[in-house]
Amino acid sequence: MLKYILKRFLWMILTVWIIITLTFFLMHAIPGDPLDTGDAGSSDAASANLAAYYNLDQPLPVQYVTYLKNVATFDFGPSMTSRSRDVNDMIESGFPASLQLGIASLIFSVLSGVVLGVFAALRHNKMIDYMTMVLAVIGISIPNFIQSMLFINYIAVHVDFFPIARWGTYRHVILPALALASGPMAIIARLTRSNMLEVLTQDYIRTAKAKGLTSVQIVVKHALRNALLPVVTIMGALTASVLTGSFVIERIFSIPGIGQYFVNSISNRDYPMIMATTVIYSTILVVMMFIVDILYGFIDPRIKLHSKED
């Protein structure tokens, strides 16, 4: 296990480095000057000073090596959009809100998706099964930004318990988390249902029934663990959809997270902010994929972790 974890950790570092490198050179390949503000009154000396301040007067390989050193020390430098603030300060102020929204969305999507999928499988071709599938189709078909508008119009406007355009308590998290989690919840519910239907027909389930085990014991101890394995497999992709979708949701609900800085940095070509958010989110995704690999062994003991040398 230790050898496998070390090997996966090295692959994680390599993956993040590749993402950082691609982002760096793609951003610098875009035509135009990121320091060009369109101010006709700015002098050449002022532009040169700004270029030196942001290290843009150096050759591209030198900029790349300098940026790698800064990333290694978690120093992303000053922002080109808010020149009075460092990128680290902006991320520090916005990351807690984004993290709170992301965790709430993932927890809600996993728990509700698994519960709905299990009940739909246990009540196959019954009313609860049909209702679950209808909810799943709605969650997949309607984009989360459309759902956000519907939530704001029909729920937040009429129910004062769900305030919008503010942030601070758990009440501010509910609606954006629901909108962000609806798509992943629908996918998990459909996947759990189909896997549970397959698992419930296996011989060991019939054996457990013959032993007199209750339905709860059969589902929890035998069926659910095997049915959840494919769900764990897609958790990395679902995490990616939650993270990328949070940018739009944060803008709609005026959440003071990283999303607002990322969107502004794209339109303003703020190199430090774009690359900082890329590093953060790519690291989160790679770590999630690593956690998924480790969870395989806990969910299904039949899965063993072997290296190629073994």
Side-chain angles (χ1 to χ4, degrees):
M1 175 65 76
L2 182 61
K3 185 177 181 180
Y4 175 79
I5 292 176
L6 179 61
K7 182 179 179 181
R8 291 289 293 134
F9 180 75
L10 294 176
W11 276 108
M12 287 167 52
I13 296 178
L14 177 61
T15 303
V16 173
W17 171 74
I18 293 175
I19 295 174
I20 293 173
T21 302
L22 290 175
T23 304
F24 179 87
F25 286 104
L26 286 175
M27 288 303 304
H28 285 78
I30 299 176
D33 185 3
L35 298 177
D36 185 10
T37 60
D39 186 3
S42 62
S43 62
D44 294 337
S47 299
N49 290 333
L50 285 174
Y53 181 69
Y54 290 106
N55 199 35
L56 296 177
D57 59 337
Q58 301 293 328
L60 193 59
V62 176
Q63 296 183 42
Y64 173 67
V65 173
T66 302
Y67 182 71
L68 287 181
K69 293 179 180 179
N70 293 335
V71 170
T73 58
F74 299 99
D75 180 14
F76 298 106
S79 170
M80 292 182 178
T81 304
S82 302
R83 295 177 180 176
S84 61
R85 301 181 63 186
D86 287 340
V87 173
N88 291 51
D89 296 334
M90 299 170 69
I91 292 177
E92 184 178 354
S93 64
F95 186 72
S98 297
L99 181 64
Q100 185 179 3
L101 176 61
I103 292 177
S105 301
L106 283 176
I107 292 176
F108 177 79
S109 61
V110 172
L111 292 181
S112 58
V114 169
V115 171
L116 289 175
V118 169
F119 275 104
L122 295 177
R123 299 292 184 268
H124 184 47
N125 289 332
K126 302 292 179 61
M127 181 59 65
I128 189 172
D129 185 18
Y130 299 144
M131 292 178 60
T132 300
M133 290 303 97
V134 169
L135 289 176
V137 171
I138 293 176
I140 296 175
S141 303
I142 303 179
N144 54 25
F145 62 89
I146 299 295
Q147 296 184 37
S148 300
M149 298 298 185
L150 296 176
F151 288 163
I152 292 174
N153 186 40
Y154 293 104
I155 298 179
V157 174
H158 298 91
V159 182
D160 189 54
F161 185 78
F162 299 106
I164 56 175
R166 286 177 289 171
W167 192 257
T169 66
Y170 72 95
R171 294 186 301 161
H172 303 95
V173 184
I174 295 177
L175 286 185
L178 289 176
L180 189 57
S182 59
M185 178 197 69
I187 296 174
I188 292 175
R190 291 176 62 89
L191 189 58
T192 303
R193 173 184 176 273
S194 61
N195 292 327
M196 280 292 296
L197 289 175
E198 180 180 356
V199 168
L200 291 175
T201 61
Q202 300 298 316
D203 292 336
Y204 65 88
I205 297 296
R206 286 192 286 268
T207 303
K209 292 179 180 179
K211 290 181 178 180
L213 296 180
T214 64
S215 299
V216 175
Q217 291 175 326
I218 293 174
V219 171
V220 174
K221 292 184 178 181
H222 299 280
L224 188 58
R225 293 183 64 179
N226 294 322
L228 284 182
L229 194 58
V231 175
V232 174
T233 304
I234 65 169
M235 283 305 300
L238 292 181
T239 303
S241 66
V242 169
L243 293 178
T244 54
S246 66
F247 295 150
V248 178
I249 300 299
E250 287 180 15
R251 293 286 291 183
I252 294 176
F253 286 92
S254 299
I255 299 174
I258 300 180
Q260 59 177 333
Y261 299 128
F262 182 77
V263 174
N264 292 333
S265 65
I266 292 294
S267 58
N268 296 315
R269 294 185 60 183
D270 189 347
Y271 289 169
M273 178 56 70
I274 293 174
M275 289 185 285
T277 51
T278 302
V279 170
I280 292 174
Y281 283 109
S282 61
T283 302
I284 293 175
L285 292 178
V286 171
V287 170
M288 280 298 301
M289 297 301 295
F290 172 73
I291 294 176
V292 166
D293 291 340
I294 299 299
L295 286 178
Y296 282 156
F298 291 98
I299 295 177
D300 192 345
R302 296 172 298 178
I303 298 178
K304 304 297 181 182
L305 302 177
H306 295 291
S307 62
K308 291 183 179 179
E309 292 77 11
D310 296 338

